[in-house]
Amino acid sequence: MSANILTVLTKFYDEYQKNTPQRLKIIDAYLGYIMLTGIVQFVYCALVGTFPFNSFLSGFISCVGSFVLAVCLRVQVNPSNKSQFYNLSPERAFSDFIFASIILHLVVMNFIG
């Protein structure tokens, strides 16, 4: 059973390395970082407590919002989805991502108080 899982994971990793463009790999690394940051914040909150609750909530909302925006960017930049986003250049998708991130973080900074 574990040999099958290892074979599947190895095949997945090899296909990912071979077929995924560098631009998407960078976005995937960013997604992994955001997910790890959100997990660390949640575990810290569960272990230590939520004394400054607005701070925890702001940080966690920032992670979740950034993750959602990055997933949207990945979908729009992916060459496989070019037929769905035919009139949207990667530069336009990135500028939309930056603009939405600025708005998100302004809201988060306002929520911290």
Side-chain angles (χ1 to χ4, degrees):
M1 181 71 170
S2 65
N4 279 341
I5 293 173
L6 186 60
T7 305
V8 168
L9 290 176
T10 304
K11 174 95 170 140
F12 174 76
Y13 180 75
D14 291 340
E15 290 292 322
Y16 178 80
Q17 290 296 329
K18 186 172 66 170
N19 296 328
T20 306
Q22 186 67 24
R23 182 179 290 170
L24 294 181
K25 289 178 186 176
I26 292 170
I27 295 173
D28 290 341
Y30 178 65
L31 287 169
Y33 168 73
I34 294 172
M35 184 182 292
L36 182 65
T37 303
I39 290 170
V40 167
Q41 286 181 0
F42 187 78
V43 169
Y44 178 83
C45 176
L47 294 176
V48 177
T50 62
F51 167 60
F53 190 66
N54 281 357
S55 297
F56 162 71
L57 209 54
S58 294
F60 196 72
I61 288 171
S62 175
C63 287
V64 171
S66 295
F67 188 85
V68 168
L69 291 175
V71 167
C72 291
L73 175 66
R74 189 186 194 288
V75 168
Q76 292 174 355
V77 173
N78 192 347
S80 301
N81 298 335
K82 199 65 168 167
S83 63
Q84 295 174 350
F85 300 102
Y86 60 93
N87 60 351
L88 186 68
S89 68
E91 292 81 13
R92 168 70 192 270
F94 186 70
S95 65
D96 289 347
F97 168 76
I98 294 297
F99 178 73
S101 292
I102 289 171
I103 299 299
L104 171 69
H105 287 93
L106 285 174
V107 169
V108 166
M109 292 301 289
N110 188 34
F111 187 71
I112 288 176

